[in-house]
């Protein structure tokens, strides 16, 4: 009997102990990641100038995510128009459809859904690519060829996501508003003037700014998290696989938490 | 280096697309750059603003003719609204402003009804005749109260 | 000249390298030999500055590698090359761009000049004509030869070789050994070769360092090493299974483990 008691106690202490260790590990990683990222960023103006690599990463991460962003934006706008119409129609306020679709997309869904798609499309590939470079000693090879991997590998990716995400989110917004218009006006018969007029009337510049600030912050976060997870991945096949999964999870959760914080600032 | 050229061009097109999207959102949706500042303003005092907010519509004969620029409390007892009226919409001196609701529980808006005077209000002047919001809860409670009697 | 002073590197509870002093002579080939897990690759990574030592210093002339600014470190590295055990070719670039990489990075030479230099290096490793192939299309031996060409592309003063012949067929291994010997002598390169290939190491080295359990157990010219009477050295050179260096790394008794006798099976705590 006493044996069972003690094992109960020890499993409880083990549970809280491991919780504590996870928390400590998390804080440690946060500090380590911030330091690594800032170190990389501090090299932005250091010679040699990495302009070509910014462009290459903008191509890989930005242009590469364009199609998926357009598709997601299109269907988000369409489904919002559909859902919004049936809800608003009950109150005779169909004319508010444009405002509803536009507000939700610009303030919330554009930045968050856009960030999710970019994490899935570009973030995971950042982590996997850098992780594999670690496994195969390519980062060490760069070091020995007097090329700083923080400047060459990490920095361009952080810069590229920070620039690309606001651009992609803006495209997402426009596409979503446009497909919402098509569904609302062309298919459901909402007054065509009302759709845009209400959208323009209800949206303030602060809503747009809020959306862009969110997008920029998310882009920066995605770059920082995904490069860090790859760079510090355990240099094994399994380690890279695990790091990639973790990067996607941490970046997604981080985006949601940050979204709440930023929304509370911008309301 | 030829492939890099093509990549550079593609990235250029991508950034351009993104900037066009940003510009469209800012200029068309956000009305940056003075478009929102067009027209002229009038003031109106109401006993009860009743849910009209900054950005609410101003309508005349069912057509939107402007937006509410600001709603604030004056002399601690009544609401003063700044009404921004579209250019080219002339409002007679004895016009009548009232707070109305679109549908039963829809958005609040300010309705302006033209008066008989030939003279028109100039920018910055006040619409003297106003009617405050009809409070549905008051109406309902009045109805219930009278029903009981 | 490179000098390691009281170098240690700790991984968890294990000292991969334990307070080691080592001198690498300029213009000579130094072979660091030892069994797997003896700490020789770790020592190489410390000497090249890829890893920072837990204790100790690495002196390049009168500069301490551990105290250098990042900028100065990269300046020094422009005169270094390294051949990695698994080649470490940049797999997004083809053979030509891999070999030309250091030249593109650190020189302003015309593409024509670089093309000529790359051709010369690839000719040295016998792979001219393979310029457009991608690293994923190369065999291990070919990748290693490309990596060799890349390591010497800048005609560096110091080159580190991590297991240059492991995983290669005897002919390729011989070619690589000869290449190390020839280029070192031709360019008066300082070469540090980490290897467990006894014959290759002894054949090309001017100086041999023998490691065991993170410590240097013997140092000298190949002739001196071969004449050594130290039992551990003899065992390693002759590849005898029995001797002072145990094959088994287990710390618990084999018989106890097999019979699961209580007290010997360690539970995870």
């Amino acid at each position: 009997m006493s044996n069972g008691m003690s094992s109960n106690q020890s499993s409880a202490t083990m549970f809280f102990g491991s919780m504590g260790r996870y928390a400590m590990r998390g804080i440690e990683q946060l500090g380590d990641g911030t330091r690594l990222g800032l170190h990389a960023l501090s090299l932005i103006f250091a010679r040699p100038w990495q302009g070509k690599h910014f462009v290459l990463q903008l191509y890989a991460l930005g242009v590469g995510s364009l199609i998926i962003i357009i598709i997601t934006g299109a269907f988000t706008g369409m489904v919002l128009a559909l859902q919004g119409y049936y809800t608003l129609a009950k109150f005779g306020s169909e004319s508010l459809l444009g405002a509803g679709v536009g507000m939700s997309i610009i303030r919330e869904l554009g930045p968050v859904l856009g960030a999710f798609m970019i994490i899935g499309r570009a973030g995971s590939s950042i982590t996997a690519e850098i992780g594999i470079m670690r496994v195969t000693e390519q980062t060490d090879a760069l070091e020995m060829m007097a090329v700083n991997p923080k400047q060459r590998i990490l920095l361009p990716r952080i810069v590229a996501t920070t620039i690309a995400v606001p651009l992609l989110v803006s495209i997402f917004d426009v596409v979503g508003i446009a497909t919402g218009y098509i569904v609302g006006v062309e298919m459901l018969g909402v007054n065509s003037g009302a759709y845009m007029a209400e959208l323009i009337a209800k949206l303030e510049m602060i809503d747009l700014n809020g959306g862009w600030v969110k997008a920029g912050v998310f882009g920066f976060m995605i770059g920082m998290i995904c490069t860090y997870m790859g760079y510090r991945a355990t240099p094994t096949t399994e380690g890279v696989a695990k790091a990639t999964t973790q990067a996607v999870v941490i970046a997604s959760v981080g985006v949601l938490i940050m979204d709440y914080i930023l929304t509370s600032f911008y309301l | 280096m030829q492939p890099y050229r093509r990549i550079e061009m593609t990235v250029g097109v991508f950034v351009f697309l993104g900037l066009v999207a940003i510009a469209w959102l800012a200029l068309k949706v956000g009305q940056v750059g003075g478009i929102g500042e067009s027209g002229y303003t009038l003031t109106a005092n109401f006993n009860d603003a009743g849910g009209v907010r900054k950005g609410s519509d101003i309508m005349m004969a069912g057509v939107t003719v402007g937006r509410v620029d600001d709603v604030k409390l004056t002399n601690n007892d009544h609401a003063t609204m700044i009404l921004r009226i579209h250019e080219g919409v002339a409002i007679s001196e004895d016009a009548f402003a009232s707070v109305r609701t679109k549908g039963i529980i829809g958005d609040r808006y300010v309705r302006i009804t033209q008066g008989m005077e030939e003279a028109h209000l100039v920018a910055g002047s006040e619409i003297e005749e106003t009617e405050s919001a009809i409070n549905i809860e008051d109406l309902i409670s009045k109805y219930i109260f009278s029903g009981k009697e | 000249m490179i000098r390691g002073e009281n170098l240690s590197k700790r991984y968890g509870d294990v000292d991969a390298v334990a307070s080691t002093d080592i001198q690498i002579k300029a213009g000579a080939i130094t072979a660091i030999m030892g069994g797997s897990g003896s700490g020789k690759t770790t020592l190489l990574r410390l000497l090249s500055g890829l890893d920072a030592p837990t204790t100790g210093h690495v002196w390049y002339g009168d500069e301490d590698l551990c105290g250098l600014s990042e900028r100065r470190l990269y300046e020094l590295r422009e005169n270094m090359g390294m051949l990695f055990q698994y080649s470490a070719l940049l797999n997004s670039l083809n053979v030509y761009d891999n070999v030309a990489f250091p030249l593109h990075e650190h020189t302003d030479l015309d593409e024509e000049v670089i093309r000529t230099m790359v051709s010369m290096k690839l000719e040295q490793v016998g792979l001219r004509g393979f310029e457009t192939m991608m690293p994923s299309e190369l065999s291990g031996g070919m990748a290693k030869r490309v990596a060799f060409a890349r390591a010497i592309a800048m005609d560096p003063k110091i080159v580190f070789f991590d297991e240059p012949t492991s995983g290669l067929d005897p002919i390729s291994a011989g070619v690589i050994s000869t290449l190390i010997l020839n280029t070192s002598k031709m360019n008066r390169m300082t070469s540090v070769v980490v290897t467990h290939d006894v014959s290759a190491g002894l054949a090309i080295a001017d100086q041999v360092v023998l490691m065991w359990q993170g410590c240097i157990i013997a140092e000298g010219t190949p002739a001196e090493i071969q004449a050594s009477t130290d039992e551990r050295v003899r065992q390693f050179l002759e590849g005898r299974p029995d001797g002072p260096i145990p094959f088994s790394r287990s710390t618990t008794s084999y018989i106890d483990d097999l019979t699961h006798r209580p007290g010997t099976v360690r539970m995870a705590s």
Side-chain angles (χ1 to χ4, degrees), chain C residues 105-241:
Chain C
E105 289 299 321
H106 301 300
T107 67
D108 295 324
L109 297 172
D110 274 352
E111 196 59 32
E112 277 310 303
V113 181
I114 291 180
R115 195 166 290 280
T116 315
M117 291 174 74
V118 170
S119 289
M120 281 165 60
K121 302 297 175 194
L122 283 176
E123 174 64 24
Q124 277 189 300
V125 296
L127 286 177
R128 200 165 41 78
F130 286 78
E131 279 89 343
T132 54
M133 284 181 83
M134 298 303 286
S136 57
E137 302 166 329
L138 300 174
S139 73
M142 280 155 80
K144 211 146 200 173
R145 280 145 77 181
V146 174
F148 184 94
R150 183 180 68 175
I152 59 167
M154 294 276 283
D155 293 323
K157 294 198 180 67
I158 305 163
V159 183
F160 299 96
F161 298 93
D162 190 5
E163 303 282 10
T165 56
S166 77
L168 297 186
D169 64 88
I171 299 170
S172 303
V175 168
I176 290 277
S177 296
T178 319
L179 276 172
I180 295 173
L181 189 61
N182 290 347
T183 45
S184 298
K185 294 306 158 202
M186 220 156 60
N187 304 341
R188 297 179 169 216
M189 233 159 60
T190 306
S191 302
V192 184
V193 184
V194 157
T195 182
H196 54 235
D197 184 341
V198 176
S199 56
L202 291 176
I204 60 171
D206 298 308
Q207 192 198 9
V208 176
V209 172
L210 209 58
M211 290 188 75
W212 180 54
Q213 288 196 344
C215 298
I216 293 176
I217 55 170
E219 245 182 304
T221 62
E224 283 167 1
I225 293 289
Q226 271 171 316
S228 168
T229 53
D230 188 316
E231 266 304 302
R232 297 171 300 181
V233 178
R234 296 247 53 88
Q235 186 194 350
F236 183 73
L237 293 184
E238 290 157 21
R240 276 189 278 116

Side-chain angles (χ1 to χ4, degrees), chain C residues 2 12 25 39 48 50 61 68 73 86 94 101 142 154 156 179 186 192 194 203 211 219 238 243 248 256 265 267:
Chain C
I2 311 167
K25 286 203 189 79
S48 61
L50 279 178
L68 285 184
L73 182 63
Y86 301 108
N94 64 21
F101 187 86
M142 280 155 80
M154 294 276 283
L179 276 172
M186 220 156 60
V192 184
V194 157
M211 290 188 75
E219 245 182 304
E238 290 157 21
S248 167
D256 285 349
V265 180
M267 302 290 284

Side-chain angles (χ1 to χ4, degrees), chain B residues 35-90:
Chain B
I35 302 171
E37 295 298 306
S38 69
Y40 61 98
T41 58
L42 299 174
T43 59
N45 291 312
F46 290 86
N47 287 328
D48 185 355
V52 169
R53 290 174 294 114
K54 184 173 189 258
S56 292
D57 281 338
I58 301 164
M59 301 181 101
M60 188 189 286
V63 180
T64 305
V65 295
R67 292 166 73 175
V68 175
D69 246 12
D70 200 11
V71 181
K72 57 176 186 277
L73 187 65
T74 313
N75 294 338
N76 286 325
D77 67 348
H78 66 273
T80 302
M81 287 183 200
I82 312 286
L83 310 176
R84 183 166 291 279
I85 309 295
H86 291 168
E87 206 73 65
V89 177

